DNA sequence: TTGACATGTGACCTTTTGGTCACCTAACTT
DNA sequence: AAGTTAGGTGACCAAAAGGTCACATGTCAA
């Protein structure tokens, strides 16, 4: 499977995105800790984490019998760069910021 | 289905990403024109374009019996903003640029 | 060293997704 | 008006993905 294909397939599942959100909020979590937040058995969570790791979206470090998980933002940035060139980026960010501002103050 | 779910699901398929690449290179293409580039029947391509449109990644404009397709970069930017904060962005872009430079000059 | 804890593996089943086809409507051309 | 061109719909089948379980390994603590 191609490298970028793994990334996009990994991002396609809502549970996996939630796991990324959890790691974005606080990194270095274990499987057991993540399991307690996602309404699914440990096996399901482990499978999802494996997919994320093979996609390079999550990197891990072993510490004794625990495995710590960290979010890797690089593949996300590459998605961005694929369809948003430097010139367009200025317009898009302005647009997104405007949209957010309008939503915050109705 | 949630809004962001549609976007990520849409991006999960390689043919749909190719369609986005084609529209990124040159916008305003018709179904028939896109069909000629993707080794698939018209029906398959039409289905993929529908998924992209419902996700908001592609916007369309009718012109007579033709339907013109355009890439919308906003959802892509939102993916970026979800997991890369302003502070991290500086480090990540630097890292990505360095990686690209190293790949270009071996 | 015994038991509890943290994680890994392969089989299994159900649901979702990708692709094609027969058939259809709408618009341009002559 | 008739033929051609651009696109849309719903049914269908094969392949892939999501989730759970029985079973297994390695690590810590008393």
């Amino acid at each position: 499977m191609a490298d970028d294909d793994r990334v996009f397939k990994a991002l396609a599942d809502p549970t996996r995105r939630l796991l990324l959100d959890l790691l974005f909020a606080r990194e270095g979590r274990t499987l057991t800790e993540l399991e307690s937040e996602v309404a699914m058995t440990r096996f399901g969570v482990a499978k999802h984490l494996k997919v994320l790791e093979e996609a390079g979206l999550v990197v891990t470090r072993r510490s004794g019998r625990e495995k710590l998980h960290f979010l890797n933002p690089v593949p996300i940035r590459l998605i961005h760069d694929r369809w948003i060139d430097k010139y367009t980026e200025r317009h898009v960010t302005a647009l997104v910021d405007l949209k957010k501002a309008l939503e915050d103050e109705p």
Side-chain angles (χ1 to χ4, degrees), chain A:
Chain A
M1 197 193 282
D3 231 49
D4 70 321
D5 202 35
R6 266 190 288 269
V7 173
F8 288 106
K9 284 254 171 31
L11 290 173
D13 183 85
T15 303
R16 287 196 288 267
R17 292 197 298 274
L18 172 58
L19 290 171
L20 291 181
D21 289 338
L22 291 170
L23 292 179
F24 181 64
R26 183 163 51 79
E27 303 211 87
R29 307 208 200 200
T30 67
L31 165 62
T32 312
E33 186 182 351
L34 292 168
E35 172 206 345
S36 68
E37 310 224 30
V38 294
M40 188 183 300
T41 64
R42 176 175 59 83
F43 309 100
V45 179
K47 218 176 202 177
H48 284 307
L49 285 173
K50 190 186 177 197
V51 173
L52 288 168
E53 192 175 352
E54 287 178 345
L57 285 161
V58 162
V59 290
T60 61
R61 183 162 54 81
R62 275 221 161 264
S63 166
R65 60 180 165 184
E66 292 185 332
K67 189 177 181 183
L68 306 178
H69 298 77
F70 301 83
L71 172 63
N72 177 25
V74 172
I76 305 287
R77 180 67 196 188
L78 292 178
I79 293 175
H80 175 275
D81 292 350
R82 178 166 178 175
W83 290 299
I84 299 181
D85 55 49
K86 284 288 174 196
Y87 177 73
T88 315
E89 182 169 5
R90 306 191 56 165
H91 306 307
V92 178
T93 51
L95 209 63
V96 169
D97 290 349
L98 175 63
K99 185 160 173 273
K100 282 177 185 166
L102 290 175
E103 284 168 353
D104 286 353
E105 295 202 27

